[in-house]
Amino acid sequence: MTIDPADRVTAPRLDNQDSALFGQTPSQTVGPFFHYGLPWKGGADLVGKSDMGARPELFPEDHYVLNLSSPTGTPEGEVIEVAGRVIDGHGEIVSDAMIELWQANAAGRYASDDDTREAVPRDPHFVGFGRASTDADGVYRFRTIRPGRVPGPGNSLQAPHLALSVFGRGLIKRLATRLYFADGEGNDVDPILNAVPEARRGTLVAERKGDGSWWLDIILKGDNETVFFDL
Amino acid sequence: MSDVIPYAREDAGSPPSLFPDYGSTVARSPREPLIRVPQTLTEVTGPSGWDQLMGPALADLTTQHKSPPLGQRIIVTGRVLDEAGRPVPYTVMEIWQANAAGRYIHSKDNWDAPLDPHFTGAGRVVTDAEGRYRFITIRPGAYPWGNHKNAWRPAHIHLSLLGPAFATRLVTQLYFPDDPLIEIDPIANAVPMPYRQRMVCRFDIGVTEPNWALGYVFDVVLKGRNQTPFEEGQHDH
């Protein structure tokens, strides 16, 4: 006896296809084993052609199916290195986190069709998106371009900033934060920084080190906890 | 004029950051409440040219090595939509998972199940103009983990989507129907019922291919955009 699939009556199920449940797909953790699936070689280098961002030592070489570093040219602007540790509520480094970056180019234009300002030039060599695994010491590191200022609400102008997302084991949802520069023009009037209690603003501001690189620790919990946003 | 049309905030199905039954959340979730800020151009834009970033599509996870992997071959297909049911076209979905025995190709996975040299478990697809995607893989196995005594993760496939904007970023897990481990899994349980069931795919005989693969349907719904600009105080024009 056979059953024609066309005659099959689907049992009522509470699942992804139930129209009564339609809505945002809930977030789940990336877990500890994402390194062969997400952070590609060069993902953290928005300027050059290094392997920054990946952790290929964590799985066999013949199972590397992610992209290879392939920049299309040199973007305009000041090349900067931005790094920091990810630290948990016990003060311990988090060596299995992943940070994503989204930013404007040196002129303050996003490489996105939804940034429609023709007057501000796009940079054909700058995508503005990056991804960095934290290393064995819990450090993330990007090489990128110092962004220009972009508009804020009303007629305001935002200070130069990087939008960051933090992922990891134990993070059921990504945590969204920002990185500003200690000498950034307009930090004092930035609409987002000003929405943060003054005592906590410093958790979003990177300091310049002696070698010229920028440093900002991301503290997931505890004293000096990083400000995370409800977008 | 720089006011933007914001994306929706989280809906009732969103899990909390702190869910103590999932032990790793305790030291890694913020103690302070999230700070609500207006969305700006930063949050409503996102990268384009995903293939430049992540490379060409890898829609068949069963043909990446010399021989086919062990396990039950399956097709997973569906659409990426926004909350109004509109398709999200040309957006990337990254995929990673354990093998049929529940083992990840990762040096820190020390679960005593065999590795499969013919299975990596990573791929990526891009949605078409109607928001449709489709990939081929093997059904992953369940595996034990150290969260609590005799803890087992239900079989799942990790999915990562950028969507159109920083605000729409989503990483989730796809679960399978009739898996008794879902209801005792702390990670799935961080999502309240009934919304947890949004993460359970549906078997569909119409998606199967005779004598070749079983088939499952799974739609991903990203945060949607309001129709009109958010009023943000006074406007000049």
Side-chain angles (χ1 to χ4, degrees), chain B residues 148-159:
Chain B
H148 57 273
K149 189 180 176 194
N150 201 19
W152 292 78
R153 294 289 340 270
H156 60 276
I157 298 175
H158 295 268
L159 300 175

Side-chain angles (χ1 to χ4, degrees), chain A residues 14-16 21 24-26 28 36 58 63 89 100 110 131 154 161 169-170 174 178 221 225 230, chain B residues 2 9 22 26-28 32 35 42-43 94 97 107 120 166 169 172 175 197-198 200 202 219 221:
Chain A
L14 209 53
D15 67 11
N16 178 270
L21 284 185
Q24 294 170 13
T25 305
Q28 296 274 271
Y36 67 96
L58 291 176
H63 289 284
E100 282 182 356
Y110 285 102
R131 191 178 271 173
H161 64 274
R169 173 176 63 86
R174 66 106 177 237
R178 284 186 172 199
K221 182 178 202 160
E225 181 177 299
D230 176 12
Chain B
S2 52
R9 298 183 190 267
Y22 173 22
V26 174
R28 293 184 167 196
E32 299 287 341
I35 292 184
T42 304
E43 288 76 29
E94 295 168 281
Q97 63 169 86
S107 61
T120 297
F166 182 78
R169 184 77 175 95
T172 189
Y175 299 99
Q197 301 301 117
R198 289 176 180 169
V200 178
R202 180 177 289 189
D219 292 340
V221 181

Side-chain angles (χ1 to χ4, degrees), chain B residues 40-74:
Chain B
T40 72
L41 196 60
T42 304
E43 288 76 29
V44 302
T45 53
S48 49
W50 62 277
D51 49 345
Q52 184 187 347
L53 292 167
M54 294 156 189
L58 291 171
D60 190 343
L61 283 67
T62 69
T63 55
Q64 292 173 344
H65 300 278
K66 279 184 188 147
S67 305
L70 294 173
Q72 176 77 64
R73 188 184 299 114
I74 62 171

Side-chain angles (χ1 to χ4, degrees), chain A residues 5 8 10-18 21-38 40 55 57-60 62-68 70 72 87-90 93-98 100-102 108 110-117 122 124 127 129-131 150-156 158 161 163-165 167-178 191-192 195-197 200 220-223 225-231, chain B residues 2-3 7-11 13-19 22 24-48 51-56 58 64-65 81-85 94 96-98 104-109 116-117 119-122 124 153 158 160 162 164 166-173 175 177-178 187-188 190-191 193-195 197-203 205 217-223 225 232 234 236:
Chain A
R8 176 176 170 271
T10 309
R13 287 181 192 279
L14 209 53
D15 67 11
N16 178 270
Q17 295 295 297
D18 187 323
L21 284 185
F22 185 85
Q24 294 170 13
T25 305
S27 178
Q28 296 274 271
T29 177
V30 296
F33 302 136
F34 59 82
H35 298 96
Y36 67 96
L38 292 177
W40 69 92
R55 294 284 303 274
E57 77 280 12
L58 291 176
F59 53 96
D62 60 335
H63 289 284
Y64 186 88
V65 299
L66 301 175
N67 205 14
L68 298 170
S70 58
T72 57
I87 297 168
D88 73 11
H90 303 305
I93 56 117
V94 178
S95 59
D96 57 2
M98 185 181 83
E100 282 182 356
L101 169 156
W102 172 239
Y110 285 102
S112 162
D113 294 340
D114 290 319
D115 185 348
T116 55
R117 298 169 299 143
R122 275 215 197 186
V127 292
F129 179 82
R131 191 178 271 173
V150 299
N155 288 320
S156 69
Q158 302 188 63
H161 64 274
L164 302 179
S165 297
F167 300 88
R169 173 176 63 86
L171 278 71
I172 300 173
K173 314 189 268 201
R174 66 106 177 237
L175 293 172
T177 184
R178 284 186 172 199
I192 303 300
V196 172
R200 299 188 65 202
L220 299 176
K221 182 178 202 160
D223 293 342
E225 181 177 299
T226 296
V227 166
F228 298 107
F229 296 118
D230 176 12
L231 297 179
Chain B
S2 52
D3 289 323
Y7 285 86
R9 298 183 190 267
E10 293 174 343
D11 75 10
S14 178
S17 285
L18 174 62
F19 192 71
Y22 173 22
S24 299
T25 67
V26 174
R28 293 184 167 196
S29 55
R31 191 164 53 198
E32 299 287 341
L34 302 182
I35 292 184
R36 179 162 286 204
V37 290
Q39 290 177 25
T40 72
L41 196 60
T42 304
E43 288 76 29
V44 302
T45 53
S48 49
D51 49 345
Q52 184 187 347
L53 292 167
M54 294 156 189
L58 291 171
Q64 292 173 344
H65 300 278
L81 304 168
D82 73 9
E83 285 172 90
E94 295 168 281
W96 76 104
Q97 63 169 86
Y104 287 92
I105 196 86
H106 192 288
S107 61
K108 301 212 169 171
D109 183 4
D116 183 343
F119 190 69
T120 297
R124 51 191 173 268
R153 294 289 340 270
H158 295 268
S160 169
L162 300 183
F166 182 78
T168 59
R169 184 77 175 95
L170 173 71
V171 176
T172 189
Q173 298 182 22
Y175 299 99
D178 304 320
I187 295 177
V191 177
M193 283 295 276
Y195 310 106
Q197 301 301 117
R198 289 176 180 169
M199 302 185 292
V200 178
C201 66
R202 180 177 289 189
F203 171 75
I205 191 73
V217 178
F218 189 78
D219 292 340
V220 176
V221 181
L222 301 178
K223 287 179 177 178
R225 213 170 189 188
E232 194 75 56
Q234 80 269 20
D236 246 29

